[in-house]
Amino acid sequence: MSLAEGVRDGNVRATAKLISLIENSPGEAEPELRALHPYTGNAQIVGITGSPGIGKSTLTDRLAKRFRKEGSRVGIIAVDPNSPFSGGALLGDRVRMQDLATDPGVFIRSMGARGMLGGLARATHNAIRVLDAAGYDAIFVETVGVGQSEVDIVRTADTVVVGLVPGMGDDIQTIKAGILEIADVFVINKADRPDAHRLVIELQMLLGTSSHAEAGWVPPIEQTIASTGEGVGALRTAIAGHWEYLHGSGELEARRRNRYEAELQSVVEDHWRKRFFEYWQPGGHWEQVVEQLLRKEIDPFSAAQQLLAPFLDSNTGG
Ligand SMILES: Nc1nc2c(ncn2[C@@H]2O[C@H](COP(=O)(O)OP(=O)(O)O)[C@@H](O)[C@H]2O)c(=O)[nH]1
Ligand SMILES: [Mg+2]
């Protein structure tokens, strides 16, 4: 049985093995991913992002339990670009999600940046695809931080939940730096802390001046205490509301279309880059061209055209 068949069959070991292959040897994973493609597109992918320690894992645990009660099978991928570790579940996540780890309807996986050949964002994207094909109804992707690589990861989600906590003064600033545009739902966790309400008001003001106001969906701001479960029901409702909006407005298809287009572009670019540099390996002619550039014997544009010529020729039957 192939890994893809195992995944379709609900075999957890095959699923875990294929995700490892995606991380360590993406070329070998490709035939399996091809076979799984027709079976993807059914899961609701929920991204949960925010600074370390704001309670993302605790929230994910609570949300996952709610989805389980509703009868959904749940996949959880915790991505930490700063972590060198990949594999099962990281210690912290395992502690936070203890009961879930033994639930056969839940698949938990941590992904770090170690040795990630094709990039963490693509590996995460493909791991989600595997869980989707495996029949998990909801897939939570927990990502640390709000930098560009995390934004790329979280863009894979249908619904992006951005978490904040009161008393971290820089958070509103980071939000201005670009996460605002990708948030579908805001959650202010640790609402047991003072100043939660002030953060809500600051966020409302920020949202009022953003482009969201003219769009069809204004991100709700939910307050939670993940450690006790307070407010998690309302957060679940907000996520459901966004899912309905995505379906009703045609936005789901639009997002998925954009995602496929971006993926296709990046796969094609990778393919050509790889072929190009396999042909023009460092040293030899490549070095000569660089020398010529230095001596002004050729300009970069003509040089690039010359270097690309063999590929163009071979495509026209040469
Ligand atoms: N006071 C308080 N602590 C919380 C809350 N939610 C989570 N925590 C605690 O915050 C710490 C970090 O939580 P974790 O879920 O690991 O955060 P993550 O790094 O964002 O995944 C843990 O000790 C949690 O028990 C909350 O709503 N209130
Ligand atoms: Mg965590």
Side-chain angles (χ1 to χ4, degrees), residues 50-59 92-93 96 142 189-193 224-228:
S51 304
I54 62 151
K56 295 180 298 297
S57 296
T58 317
L59 266 179
D93 301 327
R96 231 72 80 210
E142 175 190 332
N189 190 42
K190 306 202 182 184
D192 50 326
R193 284 190 182 172
T224 55
I225 306 172
S227 42
T228 66

Side-chain angles (χ1 to χ4, degrees), residues 17 52 106 118 126 168 245 293:
K17 212 168 154 192
V106 177
N126 284 330
M168 286 176 79
Y245 160 75
L293 284 169

Side-chain angles (χ1 to χ4, degrees), residues 123-147:
T124 306
H125 182 71
N126 284 330
I128 291 168
R129 176 171 282 166
V130 171
L131 295 186
D132 187 354
Y136 292 96
D137 306 289
I139 301 168
F140 292 95
V141 186
E142 175 190 332
T143 55
V144 176
V146 286

Side-chain angles (χ1 to χ4, degrees), residues 83-164:
S83 165
F85 303 110
S86 281
L90 293 186
L91 188 59
D93 301 327
R94 199 172 310 173
V95 170
R96 231 72 80 210
M97 303 178 190
Q98 222 156 26
D99 328 328
L100 287 180
T102 56
D103 179 343
V106 177
F107 183 96
I108 306 180
R109 176 83 187 199
S110 299
M111 292 178 79
R114 186 185 60 176
M116 200 91 8
L117 289 172
L120 185 55
R122 184 176 302 164
T124 306
H125 182 71
N126 284 330
I128 291 168
R129 176 171 282 166
V130 171
L131 295 186
D132 187 354
Y136 292 96
D137 306 289
I139 301 168
F140 292 95
V141 186
E142 175 190 332
T143 55
V144 176
V146 286
Q148 186 54 50
S149 68
E150 294 87 341
V151 168
D152 287 344
I153 291 164
V154 97
R155 265 189 214 286
T156 304
D158 300 313
T159 299
V160 177
V161 178
V162 172
L164 300 163

Side-chain angles (χ1 to χ4, degrees), residues 158-159 184 214-218 239-257:
D158 300 313
T159 299
D184 299 306
E214 300 101 55
W217 174 261
V218 179
I239 292 169
H242 187 249
W243 189 234
E244 275 167 32
Y245 160 75
L246 286 177
H247 279 279
S249 61
E251 178 70 17
L252 186 66
E253 201 186 295
R255 281 188 188 201
R256 290 189 169 171
R257 188 185 299 272

